[in-house]
Amino acid sequence: MPLKLNQSEFVVERDLNKCISCEVCVRQCSNDAHEYDADDKTVLSEASKCVGCHRCESLCPTEAITIRKKAAEFKDNSNWQQAHIKNIYKQAETGGVLLTGMGSDKPHTVYWDHILFNAAQVTNPSIDPLREPMEIKTFIGAKPEKLEIEKNDSGFKLKSKLGPHLELSTPILFSAMSYGSISLNACKSLASAAYSFGTFYNTGEGGMHKDLQHFAKNTIVQVASGRFGVNRQYLRSAAAVEIKIGQGAKPGIGGHLPGEKVTADISSTRMIPEGSDAISPAPHHDIYSIEDLAQLIYAIKEATDYLKPVGVKVSAVHNIAPIASGIVRAGADFVAIDGFRGGTGAAPQAIRDNVGIPIELALAAVDTRLREEGIRHKAAIIIAGSIRSSSDIIKAIALGADAVYIGTAALIALGCHLCQKCYTGKCNWGIATQDPYLTKRLNPSIGTKRLSGLLRAWSHEIKEMLGGAGINAIESLRGNREHLRGINLSEIELSILGIKHAGQAW
Amino acid sequence: MKKIFIDEQYCIGCRLCEIYCQVKHSKSKKILKAFREDQPGTLARVLVEEIGSNSFAIQCRHCEDAPCTGACISGAMAKNENTGVVICDEEKCVGCWSCIMVCPYGVIKRDIKSKKVASKCDLCFDEEEPVCVKNCPNEALKIKEI
Amino acid sequence: MSISLIKNKKSDYPGYRVPSGCAVFGVLNESGSCFDGRTIIDGIEMMHDRSNGLGGGFAAYGIYPQYKNDWAFHILYDDSDARNRMEDILKKSFAVLYFEELPTKRSPAIENPPMIFRYFLKLKDIYSLYERNVPVDNFSEDDFIVDFVLKMNARVSGAYIISSGKNMGIFKGVGFPEDIGHYFRLDEYKGYLWTSHGRFPTNSVGWWGGAHPFGLLNFSIVHNGEISSYGRNQRYVASLGYECSLSTDTEVITYLFDLLARKKNMDIELLNMILAAPLWERIEEMPEDDRELASTLRIMYGGALINGPFSIIAGHNDFMYALNDRIKLRPMVAARKNDYLYVSSEESAIIKVCPQPDIVWRPQGGIPVIGRVKKKD
């Protein structure tokens, strides 16, 4: 079509003094943005095809390529921003819903960046984690109302048992990402890093691939609205079960894995016919209210002999505090809350960028609500939705979370450059794709090392910050909002977060 | 001895191994010069074979009973008793290509750009690690002691 | 500062926390023999430099044998109006057996003391008193008193209940501890267990109710240190019905003791497994039964783990319980001589009142010193 209303998003700059025409870029680009001209022995680039994944730039042996954002080509307009105009052009042309991938990139307030953490001075000593024990072991599960302890001649003996728990060496788990939305090599990397580090990964609604079954003890399996891959053995082999109600990037929306991605391997893992669309309905059609959820929770507990924690994942929506309370009262052992900046493989852009609330506010509201109701001990809170650094984790735990899920951060550790084109299936980093030419780019042994590296680094930083605040066990930070201060926040924001403003003493 | 192992599952066909091999065996050892100014250019001694989404990089296997050494008419192709590495002494090589005809892996090339010699992998004997292994972005090539 | 002022201040959300450094000293006669208050005053006076004159106080057990089965309340008042308000409320729930103003000795060292009264009370019929709709079976007289004290302290302006146990009393105020002791004429009381506190607040809100010990029912707590888990502990007890109105470490620690030792009926020998829980690496080395118990207690009561530096002495009619934080960031020395058990921030206090103890030791972090009262006079 000669008329092209939408211009390229990126400029591909090739320094011809440096380009050796080795064609690495040509071979690496799944979008065919680079092409070798045999006559001239030069490589040419077509910027309109570039998605900004930086794969070519990362592999170019001479650093000849630079991918830049293309400057605004429309007349400045604070109301009609570039994105609006471009989206309208696109939609006028295709007549379709705009799809996107990863979490929202809109400039809504990131509350983590408006919260500061504390340190001990004089009246209370800081603790050096290199010389003193620093405990970040974390448990996920319900706590009983009371314990029966018997005193006998030799001492004390526990008569009652704690319910099923997950034990984590660090308060970080990998979020639900299904085999299908990401490649098997990405799943293998997550599973094996979780296994070697002593934490958990989550199957998403992708079923448990046979090659990952030996990581079952470090696997949280998901039961979502499509029920893909779910059977008794799937539930019983896992460490915990998570019922997925919603996802932060697309509250109220189901999922759709197109038939072309349902390969033989995925079809057997999800237990659906090869090549058929895998559609997860928006709601669970057997859960239209809270009492239905309770039934499913207990059905799963029955199927797993009450030996596994059963949790429920919901997206952070306006009414999240009462919803979470209902979930806890329905019998969930943990509640996973996914904030609106949470990632996705594919979501309608309008929903991703406009539906839900930030996880920081949701977490604060839920923790406070559960405490007010005296039921905080009945379930652990895991939060998700854009945890970007160890300091985000420290702040989340001080606000009241038991642990955090990381999804996007884990993918970035695997090479993701946040080009937000996951839904195209052409991920040049071998993550969000099933194309065998692309999936092999993610070597799970490298992926495992990089994910373990991230967990190690963050755990170390968490210990440093804990020690600085004079705390040597992470449970003493949980819900300890005295160690947080807000900056540039309004009264109402501070009051929802339950923290004081910077400058206010104890 | 040390041998290069190929993990074809993770070869991504980028051919960076070839590029770095060329640089390593160039006069300047500098990538821009090797491809621009060092004329005549050098050949890569590792070769990426590719069909569809499958690919792997192969170089001289340094066979235990290397047929190329027997076929060599000038004594240029010889296996070092101590290291086990098969090396073509380019000073002695007369370019008869007998080695190419007997090589079961097809990893010896005709270097016709410079002197007419047989060009093959020398396992980067003067490096800590062969450059193809070192520069593989996906660890599809590994060097291991056997 | 007046009680009403303090109470109004804390109504700003969220309350300001008042940390402080300090000296602690406790003496118990395990056979229950009573001794007068000079011992405790002399001991705490040795640690004068650990206080800064902004608070001192004492808890004494066995001092009211004539009313040993009745509730003994010590109440601070700003003025007679406050007293009238409080007494009206008291009379609705209690039969007042006896009351008087606490005898004191005026001294230039003590400025602007509030009125302090003591009351000996009998609770009226609990069934008719309790207004909320809860099963009475689950609700004891103790629960009523806790509820009453917390509510009155939060709501009745100009009045503050500092002591609410039986056969025990708390005496405290603004000043150095030895001056406070003399002011209250403690040499005229005899008790089998005494604890004391000299205060060095780093955030000085000098008011009488904020001095230590902090008491609830028969528990009294003195504490040295500034805990780093305050926010966590406070939220934990708040979710179980304890409103921290003073925002002090000692207050929240008292609620933790009440929660665990009274409400959860946990043996005090287990308390250190929660309040100063053993490190995971230590738990992993334990024999299986102990390991299961220790890890379960730790998982279950993570909110009650007290983190950061502390040395605590808890007084109770039946025992004295002293505990250091698990990595011993605050000092604590213990000693025994015959039936006497001494616990102190510094050895000097012990030697002052007991020059030749049988044994002196420095308790390990997280390992409690427990003295039990074998029989009472």
Side-chain angles (χ1 to χ4, degrees):
Chain A
M1 184 164 67
L3 175 65
K4 202 170 74 176
L5 291 172
N6 255 341
Q7 312 305 316
S8 326
E9 268 188 274
F10 298 95
V11 179
V12 181
E13 280 181 11
R14 183 178 297 275
D15 183 344
L16 291 175
N17 290 323
K18 285 184 173 174
C19 180
I20 55 172
S21 302
C22 66
E23 298 179 67
V24 168
C25 51
V26 177
R27 287 187 284 269
Q28 288 299 299
C29 185
S30 61
N31 301 300
D32 300 327
H34 306 290
E35 198 184 348
Y36 183 66
D37 186 320
D39 295 339
D40 294 348
K41 297 199 170 89
T42 52
V43 179
L44 305 171
S45 300
E46 200 174 327
S48 64
K49 292 180 174 171
C50 177
V51 299
C53 78
H54 298 266
R55 177 80 183 178
C56 53
E57 203 179 359
S58 306
L59 265 83
C60 175
T62 60
E63 296 183 13
I65 303 175
T66 309
I67 306 296
R68 282 190 211 289
K69 206 174 107 178
K70 195 165 173 182
E73 66 270 43
F74 304 118
K75 184 173 168 59
D76 282 346
N77 190 322
S78 300
N79 182 34
W80 290 98
Q81 292 159 21
Q82 245 198 92
H84 297 128
I85 302 171
K86 286 186 168 184
N87 286 345
I88 290 173
Y89 287 151
K90 249 186 253 173
Q91 291 189 286
E93 194 177 314
T94 62
V97 169
L98 287 170
L99 277 185
T100 186
M102 304 314 286
S104 177
D105 52 12
K106 292 290 169 280
H108 296 287
T109 306
V110 176
Y111 286 92
W112 305 131
D113 296 340
H114 289 265
I115 297 176
L116 300 170
F117 192 60
N118 191 35
Q121 295 287 291
V122 186
T123 55
N124 178 326
S126 44
I127 303 168
D128 184 348
L130 295 175
R131 292 171 183 81
E132 305 269 359
M134 193 55 64
E135 302 185 309
I136 58 170
K137 192 186 273 204
T138 297
F139 295 84
I140 300 294
K143 299 180 180 80
E145 292 301 326
K146 61 174 192 172
L147 292 175
E148 300 286 332
I149 300 168
E150 187 185 75
K151 190 173 185 181
N152 54 33
D153 298 342
S154 58
F156 295 92
K157 190 164 165 43
L158 192 65
K159 300 304 283 180
S160 54
K161 295 260 180 233
L162 207 59
H165 269 76
L166 298 181
E167 181 180 328
L168 287 62
S169 68
T170 188
I172 311 170
L173 310 89
F174 296 126
S175 300
M177 289 177 278
S178 69
Y179 173 37
S181 75
I182 58 172
S183 63
L184 187 60
N185 283 341
C187 295
K188 278 182 183 165
S189 305
L190 292 164
S192 112
Y195 171 79
S196 63
F197 208 83
T199 181
F200 297 83
Y201 85 105
N202 188 314
T203 59
E205 198 179 14
M208 197 193 289
H209 190 270
K210 56 187 187 313
D211 289 357
L212 298 178
Q213 269 159 11
H214 60 285
F215 298 118
K217 293 278 166 284
N218 294 81
T219 305
I220 298 173
V221 296
Q222 218 177 47
V223 173
S225 60
R227 301 286 151 83
F228 299 128
V230 179
N231 62 15
R232 190 154 179 257
Q233 197 250 332
Y234 169 78
L235 299 173
R236 289 166 80 97
S237 62
V241 182
E242 181 178 87
I243 298 168
K244 179 199 171 182
I245 301 292
Q247 187 176 341
K250 43 178 174 177
I253 296 282
H256 180 178
L257 188 70
E260 57 263 34
K261 285 195 187 174
V262 181
T263 59
D265 212 24
I266 289 179
S267 101
S268 69
T269 308
R270 292 204 176 201
M271 304 173 187
I272 53 172
E274 195 175 334
S276 64
D277 286 8
I279 294 175
S280 308
H284 286 243
H285 284 300
D286 53 358
I287 303 177
Y288 286 175
S289 185
I290 191 76
E291 62 273 20
D292 299 341
L293 175 68
Q295 280 193 10
L296 181 59
I297 290 173
Y298 280 93
I300 293 171
K301 288 189 175 189
E302 286 288 338
T304 53
D305 298 332
Y306 294 82
L307 293 173
K308 319 274 179 192
V310 177
V312 176
K313 176 178 178 178
V314 281
S315 43
V317 290
H318 302 179
N319 209 29
I320 187 65
I323 291 169
S325 162
I327 290 170
V328 175
R329 290 179 188 281
D333 298 310
F334 63 91
V335 187
I337 310 166
D338 195 8
F340 94 131
R341 293 190 306 269
T344 176
Q349 194 179 305
I351 285 174
R352 184 196 72 172
D353 293 342
N354 296 286
V355 179
I357 63 170
I359 189 60
E360 301 91 325
L361 302 178
L363 164 61
V366 168
D367 180 71
T368 299
R369 178 66 173 257
L370 297 185
R371 281 181 199 282
E372 280 168 4
E373 293 187 20
I375 54 172
R376 179 65 182 83
H377 63 286
K378 286 182 187 283
I381 300 177
I382 308 177
I383 62 138
S386 192
I387 294 291
R388 306 157 303 163
S389 63
S390 59
S391 58
D392 288 355
I393 299 174
I394 275 277
K395 292 167 191 173
I397 290 174
L399 279 179
D402 286 273
V404 303
Y405 265 137
I406 59 168
T408 302
L411 298 188
I412 292 173
L414 293 176
C416 167
H417 278 58
L418 285 173
C419 73
Q420 309 185 22
K421 292 287 188 291
C422 325
Y423 62 94
T424 63
K426 287 185 178 177
C427 176
N428 271 321
W429 292 91
I431 300 168
T433 177
Q434 303 305 326
D435 178 343
Y437 184 69
L438 301 174
T439 56
K440 62 182 181 171
R441 294 180 181 183
L442 179 53
N443 180 340
S445 86
I446 300 177
T448 304
K449 267 185 274 176
R450 295 184 60 85
L451 289 168
S452 306
L454 180 71
L455 291 176
R456 192 174 312 112
W458 282 8
S459 301
H460 200 89
E461 288 176 342
I462 289 170
K463 290 179 178 182
E464 288 283 353
M465 282 184 272
L466 268 187
I471 295 173
N472 63 5
I474 197 144
E475 58 258 49
S476 293
L477 180 68
R478 198 156 287 128
N480 197 340
R481 300 187 189 176
E482 285 288 355
H483 283 291
L484 301 177
R485 288 294 181 273
I487 188 153
N488 288 335
L489 291 178
S490 68
E491 285 281 343
I492 184 75
E493 287 166 317
L494 290 169
S495 111
I496 293 167
L497 290 167
I499 62 175
K500 301 189 183 83
H501 200 274
Q504 287 179 297
W506 288 127
Chain B
M1 70 169 295
K2 281 187 170 170
K3 275 200 171 177
I4 295 175
F5 286 80
I6 302 160
D7 195 347
E8 79 287 351
Q9 286 189 78
Y10 301 120
C11 172
I12 61 174
C14 65
R15 297 180 185 253
L16 280 168
C17 49
E18 292 183 1
I19 292 160
Y20 283 99
C21 183
Q22 271 172 276
V23 175
K24 162 70 190 164
H25 296 96
S26 69
K27 214 159 63 188
S28 65
K29 321 263 187 237
K30 289 182 179 146
I31 190 163
L32 290 178
K33 277 195 163 185
F35 279 83
R36 298 282 178 86
E37 297 156 27
D38 286 7
Q39 291 299 338
T42 42
L43 280 181
R45 293 152 187 225
V46 52
L47 179 70
V48 174
E49 302 275 10
E50 201 168 358
I51 296 177
S53 64
N54 296 310
S55 59
F56 60 88
I58 189 160
Q59 60 291 83
C60 171
R61 303 283 86 204
H62 301 276
C63 310
E64 204 164 306
D65 182 17
C68 55
T69 58
C72 182
I73 61 168
S74 66
M77 195 70 81
K79 190 173 179 77
N80 183 310
E81 296 289 322
N82 298 323
T83 62
V85 179
V86 177
I87 296 222
C88 175
D89 183 341
E90 294 184 6
E91 295 300 315
K92 286 188 189 168
C93 175
V94 296
C96 72
W97 317 133
S98 304
C99 53
I100 296 177
M101 287 190 281
V102 298
C103 176
Y105 295 102
V107 289
I108 309 176
K109 290 188 193 171
R110 292 184 297 169
D111 190 349
I112 47 173
K113 281 186 182 163
S114 60
K115 228 178 100 188
K116 281 193 170 183
V117 288
S119 166
K120 68 171 287 297
C121 168
D122 55 6
L123 266 186
C124 295
F125 54 85
D126 53 350
E127 298 275 341
E128 225 170 273
E129 203 177 25
V131 294
C132 54
V133 174
K134 192 174 156 192
N135 288 291
C136 176
N138 209 31
E139 293 179 9
L141 291 173
K142 281 195 173 130
I143 185 144
K144 278 189 223 160
E145 191 72 51
I146 53 158
Chain C
M1 200 181 284
S2 79
I3 298 167
S4 344
L5 273 177
I6 290 287
K7 288 192 174 183
N8 290 340
K9 183 169 186 294
K10 75 147 182 52
S11 67
D12 299 345
Y13 178 85
Y16 282 88
R17 181 174 154 226
V18 190
S20 61
C22 306
V24 296
F25 182 45
V27 185
L28 165 70
N29 184 296
E30 288 190 323
S31 65
S33 305
C34 290
F35 50 98
D36 71 42
R38 272 176 300 193
T39 308
I40 197 83
I41 296 176
D42 289 352
I44 195 81
E45 186 173 15
M46 276 308 286
M47 299 187 284
H48 179 90
D49 287 352
R50 296 183 73 90
S51 318
N52 68 358
L54 286 173
F58 300 82
Y61 291 81
I63 55 171
Y64 297 135
Q66 66 276 40
Y67 291 106
K68 67 178 177 189
N69 296 319
D70 304 308
W71 296 106
F73 279 19
H74 290 184
I75 306 182
L76 305 181
Y77 296 119
D78 270 351
D79 48 42
S80 316
D81 284 352
R83 192 185 134 199
N84 292 336
R85 278 196 297 275
M86 181 58 109
E87 286 182 354
D88 286 348
I89 300 170
L90 272 180
K91 284 174 191 160
K92 280 185 198 152
S93 304
F94 297 93
V96 180
L97 306 178
Y98 180 76
F99 77 98
E100 64 179 346
E101 188 160 10
L102 273 184
T104 52
K105 190 189 285 170
R106 297 268 155 193
S107 139
I110 304 296
E111 290 170 20
N112 299 324
M115 297 160 64
I116 308 181
F117 275 70
R118 67 179 153 217
Y119 301 81
F120 297 99
L121 309 164
K122 231 181 207 19
L123 193 58
K124 290 182 182 168
D125 181 7
I126 181 171
Y127 294 88
S128 61
L129 283 172
Y130 201 63
E131 20 178 85
R132 280 190 305 189
N133 185 22
V134 291
V136 177
D137 294 348
N138 295 337
F139 199 74
S140 67
E141 188 167 329
D142 285 350
D143 288 329
F144 179 85
I145 300 292
V146 170
D147 203 52
F148 182 85
V149 171
L150 295 185
K151 268 192 197 143
M152 293 310 113
N153 284 349
R155 292 179 195 168
V156 182
S157 69
Y160 194 79
I161 305 170
I162 58 170
S163 183
S164 55
K166 287 180 177 175
N167 197 13
M168 61 82 71
I170 288 170
F171 305 85
K172 61 183 181 180
V174 175
F176 281 99
E178 58 275 18
D179 296 332
I180 295 289
H182 294 305
Y183 177 73
F184 283 112
R185 297 158 60 172
L186 295 185
D187 52 325
E188 296 168 19
Y189 294 80
K190 284 184 124 191
Y192 57 86
L193 163 61
W194 293 81
T195 67
S196 60
H197 186 260
R199 186 158 178 241
F200 197 137
T202 45
N203 181 352
S204 82
V205 183
W207 75 291
W208 284 58
H212 303 166
F214 188 85
L216 188 64
L217 298 175
N218 290 329
F219 267 115
S220 66
I221 304 286
V222 291
H223 152 246
N224 165 215
E226 180 185 318
I227 60 176
S228 49
S229 55
Y230 177 78
R232 164 65 155 153
N233 303 138
Q234 176 259 320
R235 282 171 76 76
Y236 178 68
V237 296
S239 71
L240 296 163
Y242 296 91
E243 190 193 333
C244 290
S245 55
L246 288 185
S247 304
T248 63
D249 291 350
T250 313
E251 180 189 32
V252 78
I253 292 168
T254 306
Y255 297 158
L256 288 173
F257 270 92
D258 184 65
L259 172 74
L260 297 172
R262 185 180 64 83
K263 270 199 178 161
K264 305 258 176 198
N265 199 21
M266 193 158 293
D267 196 293
I268 54 166
E269 283 177 33
L270 285 171
L271 291 185
N272 65 307
M273 309 273 277
I274 293 168
L275 301 174
L279 298 166
W280 286 114
E281 58 189 45
R282 196 94 60 79
I283 291 175
E284 272 141 33
E285 291 163 359
M286 293 177 177
E288 197 187 331
D289 278 359
D290 294 355
R291 188 174 63 232
E292 204 190 335
L293 176 65
S295 63
T296 303
L297 286 173
R298 203 170 158 183
I299 295 168
M300 177 105 175
Y301 296 110
L305 171 67
I306 309 177
N307 216 307
F310 68 82
S311 71
I312 295 169
I313 305 175
H316 187 272
N317 302 43
D318 301 329
F319 55 82
M320 178 167 76
Y321 180 94
L323 184 67
N324 252 159
D325 63 88
R326 54 202 201 134
I327 56 173
K328 191 142 178 135
L329 295 170
R330 297 311 296 145
M332 181 187 283
V333 187
R336 280 188 184 279
K337 172 90 177 176
N338 302 328
D339 288 339
Y340 284 93
L341 171 66
Y342 302 90
V343 181
S344 175
S345 295
E346 292 179 16
E347 195 174 335
S348 62
I350 299 173
I351 300 303
K352 168 79 178 175
V353 300
C354 174
Q356 284 181 312
D358 297 338
I359 176 178
V360 178
W361 77 99
R362 278 146 194 82
Q364 271 182 41
I367 306 296
V369 175
I370 302 174
R372 293 182 191 267
V373 183
K374 286 178 195 100
K375 61 175 170 29
K376 282 180 237 172
D377 286 348

